[in-house]
Amino acid sequence: METIEQLIERLNPMQKKAVLTTEGPLLLLAGAGSGKTRVLTHRIAYLIEKGVRPFNILAITFTNKAAREMKERVAAITEKGDEVWVSTFHSTCVKLLRREIDKIGYSNRFSIYDSDDSERLIKLVLKELNIDDKRFPPRNILSEIGNSKDNLISAEEYADNAINGDFFKKTYARIYTEYQNKLRENNALDFDDLIFMTVELFRKCPEILEKYQDRFKYIMVDEYQDTNASQYQLIKLLSAKHHNLCVVGDDDQSIYGWRGADIKNILNFENDFKNTSVIKLEQNYRSTNVILDAANEVIKHNYTRKDKKLWTDVDGGDKIIYCQCYNDFKEAEYVCEQIKKGVEKGKKYQDFAILYRNNSLSRIMEEILIRQGIPYRLFGGTRFYDRKEIRDILGYLKAINNPNDDLPIRRIINVPKRGIGDTSIGRVSQYAIDKNMSFYEALSNVENIDTLSPKAKKSISDFVRLIEDLRNCAETMSASEILDKILAVTLYIEELRIERTEQANGRIENIHELLNKAAQFEDQNPDDASVSAFLEDVALVADVDAFTEDQDTTVLMTLHSAKGLEFDTVFIIGFEEGIFPSYMSTQSANMNAMEEERRLCYVGITRAKKQLYLTTAKSRMHNGKHVSNLTSRFLKEIPTADYENAFQGVEIKNKAKGNIEETPQPQIIRPNFRKRPVNNYKMPVPQDYNPDFEVGDKVRHFKFGIGQVIDICAAGADYEVTVDFDMPQYGKKKLMAKLSKLKKL
């Protein structure tokens, strides 16, 4: 094995400087493909070589996949590498909370709710509070609660802020408060609670905070541009004593503002952490010079960024190919044609990725891939752990692990069917409320519930006995062993076999895959393969963790999902105004919306190692109608010398100065950004709809709250209304009056 000094000598000058700068705050601006993981792993190894105990090093990533890769690479270059704490934000917080959450009144055996669990609990809360879920959709409520927790706003603080708010704000406050009460009763945390509760623990228990400050004397955070307010506070608290904080990120790849990420965390790092060293990693080891030039030229149109420019010492590269197709079917056929040509020349299907701004663009693409016989994988469909059969089996594990959690008990009580209907469940629920006990406690006291029939009592007693037997087995069994036991005693698979359908067979295969996952988990975690540890691992799985490079299939995924990945050849389809950039960003008065779209474009371009295609359709179906969009403004920002024009397979190459060779057939359709004809066309006035408000009136929107109308203009079948909303996080928005159901106050 090479020494760490020998390994460091092979780094480029900026990488080497980053590895050797170990004391004090460090901002490492790492451009796409600049070898940041290599720098982080070498930096950890160098710290250990210097005499820092692995126990005192914390490295935080955003995905389990990245954490695994980093840990493996550290272990490969230093003997003590596997002793370093490397994990995601959420995994880190779960470990801390398992040890310390009892200090703030929770049991250490808490459950972790995923989005489906949280939605089911919200529906239960709405039912108990007699609130209409059409007026207050559960997903909107969860979004509001999640945003609040990301910004460290508790239910109590939210309620205080809502005292002078409108009816909607006050109703949200009631729901948030009751939702948190239910979570606590179930000894459960939702996904957003994991970081929120850790910060609360540190604030309420300074001695616990100091304990972990002294443990984590050296902290490294990857993908820092994606951190939100709660993650920022967590890192600030942990690093406040020793100040040895290294954050790695790229403000040009900050693309998650819509889910709470705050680009200001990385832009203001030097102001927030005094005496910060700043090092830029700009040398790229992934893409060709042509691709990097395009990416640099696009992103420089953003104002909110730190100056940097990617470069490579490898000259040349194939030009980017821009193709405008007749319609979206022809666009998909063109992409498939290029993939087949590449495979004929010796490439593999896995060398190609098809990226898009919206999931809806994948449908036609999938149809043509199937027709053309091209194997593919779609990311962003139904997650493995969201499938009914998997949720059912995991429900048993959750019930065994924490019987006080009502949700999994309610899910499995009649799965497979055991004669316990909704009426019986309702009567047990009422008994639990009357006696102020959990649902499972009520089930255990079934003989005292006079409203139940003898048959229902027997079925419920048998179910409780089953759960108690499984709980006893779980004391000595591993996760895979208890899964086998569950399947044996419930006859779940036998019930599916009786159906004799392809769908049932597919579900059985999924259950077998869950067993494989449990066995794999045991191999990777020999010290703790318990039910609790397995459930924790499953709860923290992200979509990107499922991505592997061991299947020879073309990949379809959104641009957001593709971040952190790379492919030989990338197609960005739907490269059109209103799609990419999105319609919302083109209508937004907030410059940040368009800048985030441009950063997303930068991310998409830099996924390509050798070849990039940008495709558009002259006409495509949208909401059942044929629409025609302008080519994306981002194409205008790419130098014409960097791309070639094509029309459904016929390519016309640019000359040195960017002029296009003329050919009689076929006609080349290319965007003309220099001169656009003045459009004097006025949208017709709607014939069957008139809003009951006018400019200056106050209106209410179901999500954005109260605002003042500042402009109204005809837009065909509806009116486009500009509203300045009272809540500063929403500001001015353009809405369709009829569609958005604005109500005059």
Side-chain angles (χ1 to χ4, degrees), residues 346-625:
K347 287 187 176 184
K348 296 181 178 180
Y349 289 112
Q350 68 188 45
D351 294 331
F352 299 90
I354 303 166
L355 310 181
Y356 34 80
R357 180 64 180 83
N358 303 319
N359 274 311
S360 59
L361 293 176
S362 69
R363 183 188 65 82
I364 292 174
M365 196 73 248
E366 283 190 84
E367 286 182 19
I368 305 302
L369 284 165
I370 292 168
R371 282 188 210 169
Q372 302 271 5
I374 296 174
Y376 71 92
R377 283 183 291 164
L378 174 70
F379 287 81
T382 303
R383 288 173 71 245
F384 177 76
Y385 294 107
D386 286 341
R387 292 175 173 136
K388 181 186 180 301
E389 61 277 10
I390 302 303
R391 284 198 165 279
D392 288 345
I393 304 303
L394 290 178
Y396 276 93
L397 288 184
K398 291 176 182 179
I400 294 165
N401 186 56
N402 179 11
N404 289 325
D405 184 356
D406 290 356
L407 284 186
I409 296 288
R410 288 174 182 274
R411 180 182 188 96
I412 64 169
I413 191 169
N414 202 36
V415 176
K417 292 190 183 303
R418 47 176 65 92
I420 305 173
D422 291 342
T423 301
S424 298
I425 292 171
R427 287 170 180 168
V428 174
S429 296
Q430 190 57 52
Y431 182 84
I433 293 169
D434 293 342
K435 299 295 182 182
N436 193 27
M437 60 175 60
S438 73
F439 184 68
Y440 187 72
E441 286 176 310
L443 292 174
S444 301
N445 285 276
V446 67
E447 293 303 327
N448 298 324
I449 305 176
D450 298 332
T451 53
L452 290 173
S453 67
K455 183 179 177 183
K457 286 183 179 182
K458 182 181 184 308
S459 297
I460 291 171
S461 295
D462 290 345
F463 172 73
V464 171
R465 193 158 46 250
L466 170 68
I467 296 300
E468 289 302 314
D469 288 346
L470 290 171
R471 289 186 71 197
N472 290 332
C473 292
E475 295 294 329
T476 55
M477 287 183 175
S478 67
S480 67
E481 290 170 335
I482 200 70
L483 279 172
D484 284 334
K485 179 82 173 174
I486 289 166
L487 293 171
V489 298
T490 62
L491 303 177
Y492 192 98
I493 288 180
E494 283 68 16
E495 289 275 330
L496 288 173
R497 285 192 178 125
I498 292 170
E499 293 182 25
R500 295 185 178 181
T501 63
E502 283 299 315
Q503 186 181 30
N505 290 337
R507 287 180 172 174
I508 292 170
E509 287 176 14
N510 289 335
I511 292 170
H512 288 154
E513 184 56 34
L514 181 64
L515 294 173
N516 293 341
K517 161 67 183 173
Q520 184 184 43
F521 174 78
E522 286 175 28
D523 291 341
Q524 294 172 346
N525 301 273
D527 297 332
D528 186 7
S530 64
V531 168
S532 177
F534 178 68
L535 285 172
E536 187 176 297
D537 185 72
V538 167
L540 299 173
V541 169
D543 288 343
V544 72
D545 295 327
F547 179 79
T548 57
E549 297 176 358
D550 57 359
Q551 295 182 46
D552 188 21
T553 55
T554 294
V555 171
L556 278 77
M557 59 171 54
T558 64
L559 286 147
H560 283 98
S561 298
K563 187 168 173 289
L565 305 177
E566 58 182 42
F567 306 91
D568 270 15
T569 301
V570 168
F571 298 88
I572 301 179
I573 63 173
F575 205 60
E576 303 160 22
E577 289 289 302
I579 297 177
F580 191 28
S582 69
Y583 175 76
M584 290 289 286
S585 67
T586 62
Q587 300 300 305
S588 176
N590 189 341
M591 181 182 73
N592 293 334
M594 185 55 68
E595 292 214 342
E596 182 152 319
E597 289 292 303
R598 188 173 283 108
R599 291 193 291 269
L600 187 58
C601 182
Y602 173 85
V603 166
I605 291 172
T606 54
R607 296 314 92 198
K609 296 199 291 188
K610 297 177 181 177
Q611 181 71 71
L612 173 66
Y613 289 82
L614 308 171
T615 67
T616 62
K618 199 175 177 185
S619 169
R620 69 172 69 245
M621 291 293 289
H622 180 69
N623 290 339
K625 297 178 182 178

Side-chain angles (χ1 to χ4, degrees), residues 129-281:
L129 295 178
N130 198 26
I131 293 172
D132 183 6
D133 63 3
K134 298 288 190 297
R135 252 184 127 185
F136 293 89
R139 290 189 180 181
N140 290 8
I141 296 167
L142 283 173
S143 176
E144 182 74 6
I145 292 174
N147 288 338
S148 298
K149 290 181 180 180
D150 285 347
N151 288 291
L152 299 173
I153 300 171
S154 66
E156 294 79 11
E157 189 178 349
Y158 191 98
D160 288 342
N161 295 339
I163 289 174
N164 297 319
D166 62 13
F167 167 76
F168 281 80
K169 196 77 174 174
K170 290 176 180 175
T171 305
Y172 273 124
R174 288 173 58 212
I175 297 167
Y176 186 4
T177 300
E178 186 58 26
Y179 174 72
Q180 288 304 118
N181 290 339
K182 290 284 184 193
L183 283 172
R184 189 142 196 159
E185 287 171 12
N186 292 348
N187 194 38
L189 303 181
D190 68 16
F191 205 66
D192 297 307
D193 274 327
L194 298 177
I195 298 173
F196 179 90
M197 286 293 184
T198 306
V199 173
E200 183 172 317
L201 169 71
F202 286 160
R203 286 176 172 174
K204 288 183 175 179
C205 307
E207 72 283 1
I208 301 294
L209 171 61
E210 188 171 14
K211 170 183 170 182
Y212 287 99
Q213 285 175 335
D214 286 335
R215 172 166 183 179
F216 301 129
K217 294 177 181 176
Y218 292 86
I219 300 173
M220 278 161 269
V221 183
D222 195 10
E223 305 287 5
Y224 190 69
Q225 77 281 346
D226 293 333
T227 54
N228 59 30
S230 61
Q231 291 162 341
Y232 166 83
Q233 273 302 326
L234 177 68
I235 294 303
K236 193 162 189 180
L237 287 168
L238 280 173
S239 64
K241 186 171 183 179
H242 296 283
H243 308 292
N244 297 320
L245 171 64
C246 168
V247 301
V248 186
D250 181 6
D251 48 299
D252 291 334
Q253 296 188 71
S254 179
I255 59 173
Y256 296 115
W258 50 276
R259 70 180 189 197
D262 190 348
I263 193 173
K264 292 197 294 292
N265 289 348
I266 191 167
L267 294 176
N268 297 337
F269 186 82
E270 299 103 307
N271 299 327
D272 294 341
F273 299 87
K274 302 303 178 187
N275 304 314
T276 293
S277 301
V278 181
I279 299 172
K280 297 179 183 179
L281 300 183

Side-chain angles (χ1 to χ4, degrees), residues 256-324:
Y256 296 115
W258 50 276
R259 70 180 189 197
D262 190 348
I263 193 173
K264 292 197 294 292
N265 289 348
I266 191 167
L267 294 176
N268 297 337
F269 186 82
E270 299 103 307
N271 299 327
D272 294 341
F273 299 87
K274 302 303 178 187
N275 304 314
T276 293
S277 301
V278 181
I279 299 172
K280 297 179 183 179
L281 300 183
E282 298 171 292
Q283 185 173 358
N284 179 280
Y285 295 92
R286 175 189 297 157
S287 306
T288 66
N289 204 42
V290 170
I291 290 169
L292 295 181
D293 187 48
N296 286 327
E297 290 299 313
V298 168
I299 201 62
K300 78 177 187 181
H301 286 78
N302 273 5
Y303 293 99
T304 312
R305 64 184 295 262
K306 290 182 176 290
D307 184 51
K308 64 188 115 28
K309 187 175 182 179
L310 294 178
W311 62 276
T312 178
D313 56 10
V314 180
D315 293 331
D318 292 334
K319 289 189 176 183
I320 296 165
I321 294 175
Y322 163 66
C323 178
Q324 186 180 54

Side-chain angles (χ1 to χ4, degrees), residues 61-77:
T61 67
F62 262 80
T63 67
N64 295 307
K65 183 172 180 281
R68 278 195 306 272
E69 288 174 0
M70 186 180 293
K71 196 152 193 169
E72 288 168 3
R73 288 170 71 167
V74 172
I77 59 176

